[in-house]
Each structure stands twice: as structure tokens, then as C-alpha cells.
Amino acid sequence: LGVAVRFEAFEPGAGRRGGLCKVRGETCILVDTKGSVLEQVATLEAALRKLDLESVFVPPLVRARLEGQRRPVGPTVKKTRR
């Protein structure tokens, strides 16, 4: 794809979480290192949705999330009755 992913600490109060953008004419994805892991995943997910990924191999779980077939992030916990 030729899209760089940059993890950087955003200034406090910036009000932004990052995403797909152009820096000096090059397309990249900026991710705030001060955000939680879930916020970072959401930033990457939103940015990837804006890109044409049809000709690129994307693991099935990731493709399902990008196409709106949400699956939980993290381990699945079974509830048991007492």
C-alpha cells in the first residue's frame, strides 16, 4: 500500500486521535501513543477503512472487522451459572 504508520505522542489537549493523513505529500496513518490500546486499534481500523484493500491480502478476522462484521477485541470470557 505504501502507507506508513507512525506512532507519536500527541500534545495534551490536541483533541485528535490520529488517522489517515498526508504529511509532506506522503500518505500515512498517525496513531497517538498516549491513547489506550483500544483507541489505537480504533484509529487504525478507521484509517484502513478509507483505503482500497481489494488487491491486498488482509487476514480474514481483520477484513471482517473492516467490513463491519464486528468481533470483540481481546479474549472471550464465558459466563457460568452458580
Side-chain angles (χ1 to χ4, degrees):
L1 287 172
V3 177
V5 178
R6 293 172 41 181
F7 290 83
E8 298 183 9
F10 289 14
E11 291 186 25
R16 296 188 176 109
R17 294 184 181 150
L20 188 66
C21 63
K22 286 203 177 216
V23 176
R24 295 185 184 114
E26 294 189 27
T27 303
C28 69
I29 300 172
L30 291 177
V31 181
D32 185 2
T33 58
K34 293 181 181 177
S36 71
V37 172
L38 291 178
E39 290 172 329
Q40 292 177 17
V41 168
T43 298
L44 287 167
E45 189 176 337
L48 289 172
R49 279 194 179 116
K50 295 176 182 177
L51 298 172
D52 180 11
L53 302 175
E54 289 304 314
S55 62
V56 178
F57 173 75
V58 177
L61 178 67
V62 175
R63 189 170 293 278
R65 283 189 62 86
L66 294 175
E67 292 175 355
Q69 302 165 10
R70 292 198 159 275
R71 294 183 185 176
V73 175
T76 303
V77 178
K78 285 186 174 182
K79 291 183 180 180
T80 58
R81 290 187 163 208
R82 291 184 185 202

